[in-house]
Amino acid sequence: MILSRTLILILILFEILNLAGFLNFTLDFSWLGLLVTSVSSLLVIELIYYFFRKRGEILPSFPYSISAVGLWVDALGDISHFYGSIAWYDQMAHFLGGAAVMALALAVSVKLLAGKTSIIFIIIIALSLTSFFGSLYEIEEYLEDAFYHKRQVRLGDGPDTANDLLLNLYGALAVGIIYALLYKKEEV
């Protein structure tokens, strides 16, 4: 977890330096959008892990690690202009983002609900949380465009937004299916 946290903090510092004009890397979208995503992700992850540590419970490090990878994939796609030049890059990034959120949502849901309900219900709760956070991401894109850029920069058109949400869900479903299969193996 220390490595994942460090990678996210380095990314945030890099984004701040570019947003403030100390560095001049160019992007497909915006430093503000990257920074809001990185900072809010780190805050949510840190708060969740802190809450469970206070309860005397340890969450697995995988959700933290895949979140760090997802944030770096997003940033590198923007910095390297992959979003504008590689047709499938945005879809891959949303798939990975959905997988990262699902891994964290599952870790939390399992800790809170294991032994109290079925694994299917736990997966449905985690999928719902993933869909909620995917929607918040798209809303952030809209709000950034409306209030910061005053024009459309980050938010795609209707089909793009729907495709982003669908790929988030596919990433979440992939993690959910893998978890259900591993869970079933442990029961046998």
Side-chain angles (χ1 to χ4, degrees), residues 38-54:
S38 298
V39 169
S40 60
S41 296
L42 180 64
L43 286 175
V44 167
I45 293 166
E46 283 293 328
L47 286 171
I48 289 170
Y49 277 76
Y50 175 79
F51 171 75
F52 279 96
R53 274 193 310 274
K54 289 294 269 185

Side-chain angles (χ1 to χ4, degrees), residues 141-163:
E141 286 184 347
Y142 166 75
L143 292 174
E144 182 185 338
D145 282 355
F147 295 108
Y148 182 73
H149 300 292
K150 308 278 194 245
R151 62 186 172 83
Q152 188 173 351
V153 174
R154 290 204 55 218
L155 185 66
D157 58 12
D160 174 72
T161 300
N163 189 55

Side-chain angles (χ1 to χ4, degrees), residues 43-164:
L43 286 175
V44 167
I45 293 166
E46 283 293 328
L47 286 171
I48 289 170
Y49 277 76
Y50 175 79
F51 171 75
F52 279 96
R53 274 193 310 274
K54 289 294 269 185
R55 289 173 43 134
E57 299 179 77
I58 305 293
L59 290 177
S61 60
F62 178 73
Y64 212 125
S65 300
I66 193 171
S67 295
V69 169
L71 289 169
W72 272 92
V73 164
D74 182 35
L76 289 173
D78 212 349
I79 296 162
S80 301
H81 306 283
F82 293 152
Y83 285 116
S85 63
I86 301 173
W88 52 264
Y89 195 88
D90 184 55
Q91 295 172 331
M92 183 266 304
H94 278 280
F95 183 93
L96 184 57
V101 174
M102 182 65 168
L104 183 58
L106 258 178
V108 168
S109 298
V110 166
K111 284 285 186 185
L112 295 175
L113 300 172
K116 299 174 185 165
T117 189
S118 71
I119 190 61
I120 297 300
F121 186 71
I122 290 172
I123 290 172
I124 289 170
I125 293 294
L127 278 170
S128 299
L129 287 168
T130 303
S131 294
F132 172 72
F133 281 102
S135 296
L136 286 180
Y137 181 86
E138 296 299 320
I139 291 167
E140 184 281 326
E141 286 184 347
Y142 166 75
L143 292 174
E144 182 185 338
D145 282 355
F147 295 108
Y148 182 73
H149 300 292
K150 308 278 194 245
R151 62 186 172 83
Q152 188 173 351
V153 174
R154 290 204 55 218
L155 185 66
D157 58 12
D160 174 72
T161 300
N163 189 55
D164 291 350

